[in-house]
């Protein structure tokens, strides 16, 4: 499991550790790791051109000491001093090693650099970059050389991932001691590039993490597996109330995701048009054509998926009320979320609820502005979970899962090709199947997002995909998770379900 921390948590751990070590030890450890990553990226250090963007804080000191190490190996190192003050010992070490200094107005070196090291601001910075930092960040982004950020890219909120104005877009971010939350959560994650962690000895002093990201082994340990005594009922029966005469495909995709994710049985309940489509695509499903908007006669289920393609008319509202009146967990997606936004009384239930909105749907549920949600995704998903008293999976460029307690997870699998219609319906089916098989809403959402993102990567294989293709790839994704393969661990966090 990958864990990440806020700036305050990191600083607290650093203070505790620094009190036990000689002065300057942590900075030297950080600089050694930073220089090692830079040397690896350069390949040939001797004769390479390295520019350090140096601010007033400790990140500037890290950059200067790393520059010293690279200069000793023959790199041509120039430090652009942007801060009102500079780490004096680090600057002296760089100059003694043959490095040079330039002012913030002398930026010609940036365009010619093989590698630019961003040490402008540290993890405590917040808000938009001021000048000359903003101009230097823009120039670094436009330069052809590799960009390496120290700890977090300047302009990215270390604790939130929030980006206000200009930020450095890094090729690689070398983060010290532990992952910062803002490196895992968009929009900040999109500026971080590949993240390399340098161990400086913080681990024993860190508190409970701010967020966590499940790894392959974590998901493998949580995914239900049938035993010798299993039958279709013990493996979980999922009810799906989805689809309408306008959106028959949503029902097909949700049922397909559930069947592929291992539900022992899927009971589909819907109107005549989607019933015909589900029957044609999935003869395995047990189908009830509803004559009235009630699921009383559908049969016993262990969980429900409610909402994909359901519509928002009175018939859909009554059907939603019938599903939510049950005593089993319910996953609500798509049109179901719109119905909740129109009638919050539908959520007055004691059984568990998992909501799976994208930013627009979350805005309708909470009254928040969609742009604000996109800019500060973690804060808003946590606030929604606490306000509504349910588990919330926020879909998008970073998929987040939050509990009313404030616990939160970040999904680490996915593909930008998932930004296509219907993939969210498949996700609903996958997570719903896991609910029916006994996982709680938090684990079902987290594992469902992981498997869905991995299935998307497998289905795309570097090319456009369809939602049906994602559903087809779900068994292969589960095999990957439960095998010895490490493919899942190497996937980028770029999932955007719709």
């Amino acid at each position: 499991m990958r864990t990440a921390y806020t700036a305050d948590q990191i600083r607290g751990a650093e203070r505790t550790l620094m009190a036990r070590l000689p002065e300057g030890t942590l900075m030297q450890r950080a600089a050694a790791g930073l220089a090692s990553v830079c040397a690896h990226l350069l390949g040939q250090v001797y004769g390479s051109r390295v520019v350090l963007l140096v601010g007033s804080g400790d990140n500037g000191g890290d950059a200067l000491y790393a520059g010293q190490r690279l200069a000793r190996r023959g790199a041509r190192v120039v430090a652009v001093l942007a801060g009102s003050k500079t780490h004096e010992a680090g600057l002296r070490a760089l100059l003694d090693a043959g490095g040079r200094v330039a002012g913030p107005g002398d930026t010609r070196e940036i365009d010619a650099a093989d590698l630019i090291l961003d040490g402008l601001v540290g993890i405590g910075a917040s808000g938009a970059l001021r000048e000359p930092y903003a101009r230097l960040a823009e120039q670094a982004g436009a330069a052809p050389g590799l960009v390496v950020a120290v700890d977090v890219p300047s302009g990215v909120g270390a604790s939130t991932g929030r980006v206000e104005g200009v930020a450095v877009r890094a090729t690689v971010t070398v983060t010290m001691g532990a992952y910062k939350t803002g490196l895992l959560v968009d929009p900040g994650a999109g500026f971080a590039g590949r993240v390399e962690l340098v161990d400086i000895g913080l681990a024993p002093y860190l508190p409970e993490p701010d967020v966590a990201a499940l790894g392959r082994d974590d998901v493998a340990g949580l995914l239900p597996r049938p035993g010798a005594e299993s039958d279709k009922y013990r493996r979980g029966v999922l009810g799906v109330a989805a689809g309408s005469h306008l959106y028959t495909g949503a029902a097909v995709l949700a049922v397909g995701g559930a069947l592929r994710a291992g539900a022992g049985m899927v009971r589909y309940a819907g109107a005549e048009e989607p019933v015909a489509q589900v029957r044609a695509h999935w003869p395995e499903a047990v189908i009830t054509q509803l004559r009235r908007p009630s699921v009383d006669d559908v049969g016993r289920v262990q969980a429900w998926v409610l909402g994909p393609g359901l519509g928002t008319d009175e018939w859909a509202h009554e059907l939603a009320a019938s599903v939510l009146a049950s005593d089993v967990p319910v996953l609500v997606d798509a049109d179901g979320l719109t119905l909740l936004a129109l009638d919050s009384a539908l959520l007055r239930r004691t059984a568990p609820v998992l909501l799976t909105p994208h930013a627009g749907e979350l805005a309708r549920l909470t009254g928040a502005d969609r742009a604000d949600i996109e800019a500060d995704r973690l804060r808003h998903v946590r606030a929604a979970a606490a306000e509504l008293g349910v588990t919330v999976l926020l879909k998008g460029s970073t998929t987040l899962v939050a509990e009313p307690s404030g616990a939160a997870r970040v999904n680490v699998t996915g593909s930008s090709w998932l930004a296509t219609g219907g993939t969210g319906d498949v996700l609903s089916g996958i997570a719903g199947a896991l609910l029916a098989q006994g996982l709680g809403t938090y684990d079902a959402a987290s594992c469902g997002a992981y498997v869905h993102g991995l299935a998307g990567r497998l289905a795309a294989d570097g090319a456009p995909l369809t939602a049906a293709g994602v559903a087809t790839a779900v068994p292969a994704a589960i095999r990957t998770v439960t095998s010895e393969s490490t493919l899942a661990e190497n996937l980028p966090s770029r999932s955007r379900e719709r």
Side-chain angles (χ1 to χ4, degrees), residues 28 61 64-65 68 86-96:
Q28 291 300 329
L64 288 166
Y65 278 120
Q68 173 205 26
T86 305
H87 191 283
E88 293 183 3
L91 179 59
R92 187 165 55 251
L94 174 67
L95 295 174
D96 289 346

Side-chain angles (χ1 to χ4, degrees), residues 334-362:
D335 287 339
L337 297 168
T338 300
L339 291 168
L340 292 182
L342 295 170
D343 182 6
S344 60
L346 291 171
L347 266 182
R348 293 173 187 164
R349 67 192 312 260
T350 57
V353 176
L354 167 58
L355 307 183
T356 59
H358 55 59
E361 291 163 339
L362 190 64

